Amino acid sequence: MRMEKNLVIVESPAKAKTIAKALGDGYLVTSSFGHIRDLSKKKLGIDLENGFTPDYVIPPDKKDLVKKLTKAAAEASVVWLASDEDREGEAIAWHLKETLNIPQEKIRRIAFHEITKNAILEAVENPRDIDMNLVMAQQARRVLDRLVGYEVSPVLWRKVKPRLSAGRVQSVALRLVVVEREREILQFKPASAFRVEGLFTCPSRNTEPFKAELYTRFPTEEQAREFLLSCIGACYSVTEIEKKRGHKSPAPPFTTSTLQQEASRKLGFSVSQTMSVAQRLYESGRITYMRTDSTQLSKMALASAKKIITESFGAQYSKTR
């Protein structure tokens, strides 16, 4: 088979198919199936005596894949590293460069937030270098995961209970949510307050009864009852009516956390189930990248939405937030 001059390496096979259609002839798009190397599982995998240097190894199930990718990279004129634009994606791109021995001059790092033809072609026109700050951030996270997991978990097994686990995020979250919050709950001293509501009618206008609440709260039930007794026989009047025009904006685009919250609240999805579905939608080009804290939409997405809304419902319904 003739090898194309451009080799594009992405993370997942599903994404590879979508990108291949967008790029067309002259590009061979293949997948790394996630990380191609990781810390050794047989030992700690970190050289504690030399600056906590990671010891990366290629898993047995990835060795054949690495051979194929190495051969393809050697035969290609340009290697496009198109993993996701986050810490893990940047680390995958760097691991590919190091493991496949790709010369720096052959590498083009590209990333996109949505798998559409326009976004892919724009990324190809604007390649960049591998962001080593992101790579180092991922390495630090991975090293901390390993150090905490390997060093603290055995202590839990011996001192507390077998099969318990500790983690970089998990242990801190347990302290914040379980320990410190529980202490706050135990130290909390509840205080009661009583509110007074009245049901009023307006005979002259023959309106439906309406409810009103007294803005003052009473610390004891006796004080609330005394106030109600003092109101017997009183005459009430409406002193002011104020009307306001309401305005409601649409909810902003989902971030990772709000997507997970809504999927749990409305569909009963777990976090893993939500992210699995979102990953498939992203890889098929249906949504933008789902691991994000940004609510900004691309100009292309806004223009497309404006066009469809205007054609379907009229220009008066198209208003950018």
Side-chain angles (χ1 to χ4, degrees):
M1 180 181 70
R2 180 181 65 83
M3 178 60 67
E4 285 83 350
K5 292 184 178 180
N6 290 282
L7 174 66
V8 182
I9 305 178
V10 299
E11 292 181 37
S12 71
K15 189 193 299 185
K17 294 178 182 178
T18 308
I19 294 173
K21 292 178 182 178
L23 291 175
D25 296 335
Y27 290 85
L28 174 65
V29 184
T30 188
S31 171
S32 67
F33 293 86
H35 284 274
I36 60 168
R37 65 177 186 178
D38 197 4
L39 297 175
S40 173
K41 292 184 178 180
K42 295 182 179 179
K43 50 186 180 180
L44 182 61
I46 301 166
D47 190 347
L48 302 179
E49 304 298 325
N50 293 290
F52 297 90
T53 305
D55 176 23
Y56 291 115
V57 297
I58 301 171
D61 61 335
K62 289 292 183 77
K63 289 187 176 180
D64 288 340
L65 174 64
V66 168
K67 288 180 181 178
K68 293 178 182 178
L69 291 176
T70 302
K71 183 175 183 296
E75 295 177 354
S77 300
V78 178
V79 179
W80 303 82
L81 302 177
S83 48
D84 292 337
E85 193 173 20
D86 56 13
R87 283 195 310 256
E88 293 299 323
E90 209 70 21
I92 288 173
W94 178 76
H95 282 300
L96 286 167
K97 171 183 176 294
E98 296 294 311
T99 307
L100 306 183
N101 296 315
I102 309 171
Q104 181 62 41
E105 60 272 14
K106 288 177 62 172
I107 290 176
R108 305 288 187 276
R109 172 74 173 112
I110 57 173
F112 26 79
H113 298 287
E114 54 194 60
I115 306 180
T116 60
K117 186 171 184 177
N118 288 340
I120 294 167
L121 295 179
E122 183 178 349
V124 170
E125 292 174 1
N126 299 280
R128 61 172 175 82
D129 295 328
I130 294 175
D131 187 341
M132 290 307 299
N133 287 330
L134 278 179
V135 174
M136 293 300 179
Q138 190 275 343
Q139 281 197 349
R141 183 198 65 77
R142 189 71 187 91
V143 168
L144 282 171
D145 279 342
R146 177 58 63 89
L147 289 175
V148 174
Y150 269 54
E151 298 295 328
V152 180
S153 292
V155 176
L156 288 175
W157 301 341
R158 293 195 304 269
K159 302 291 186 180
V160 184
K161 185 180 178 181
R163 296 185 180 179
L164 290 177
S165 64
R168 169 184 56 91
V169 176
Q170 170 188 347
S171 300
V172 178
L174 282 173
R175 178 183 174 87
L176 291 172
V177 176
V178 179
V179 179
E180 295 184 2
R181 185 58 178 162
E182 184 63 24
R183 286 173 179 169
E184 290 178 5
I185 293 171
L186 292 174
Q187 294 170 3
F188 177 74
K189 295 180 179 179
S192 300
F194 294 83
R195 65 183 184 182
V196 175
E197 290 182 349
L199 193 63
F200 298 89
T201 58
C202 185
S204 63
R205 291 177 177 256
N206 195 27
T207 59
E208 290 291 327
F210 62 92
K211 184 187 294 184
E213 181 180 338
L214 184 69
Y215 60 83
T216 302
R217 298 292 176 93
F218 298 96
T220 65
E221 183 179 353
E222 289 75 15
Q223 289 177 314
R225 287 185 179 276
E226 287 179 10
F227 172 78
L228 288 172
L229 290 172
S230 69
C231 294
I232 295 175
C235 182
Y236 302 92
S237 62
V238 177
T239 58
E240 183 181 359
I241 296 177
E242 183 179 355
K243 293 183 178 181
K244 293 182 179 180
R245 181 181 292 274
H247 178 78
K248 185 177 181 181
S249 295
F254 284 130
T255 62
T256 306
S257 58
T258 57
L259 171 66
Q260 293 169 352
Q261 290 164 12
E262 282 295 280
S264 174
R265 185 171 68 88
K266 292 185 176 179
L267 304 173
F269 281 12
S270 65
V271 170
S272 59
Q273 189 177 3
T274 299
M275 297 311 290
S276 175
V277 173
Q279 181 73 36
R280 295 200 299 273
L281 289 170
Y282 168 65
E283 290 173 351
S284 62
R286 302 294 182 181
I287 64 172
T288 55
Y289 191 53
M290 59 282 165
R291 293 182 179 89
T292 179
D293 293 325
S294 173
T295 58
Q296 299 298 313
L297 293 174
S298 69
K299 293 181 180 179
M300 183 184 69
L302 291 173
S304 297
K306 182 179 180 66
K307 181 175 182 294
I308 292 173
I309 292 170
T310 301
E311 291 177 352
S312 302
F313 307 103
Q316 69 271 27
Y317 292 99
S318 176
K319 181 180 290 188
T320 305
R321 294 182 77 251

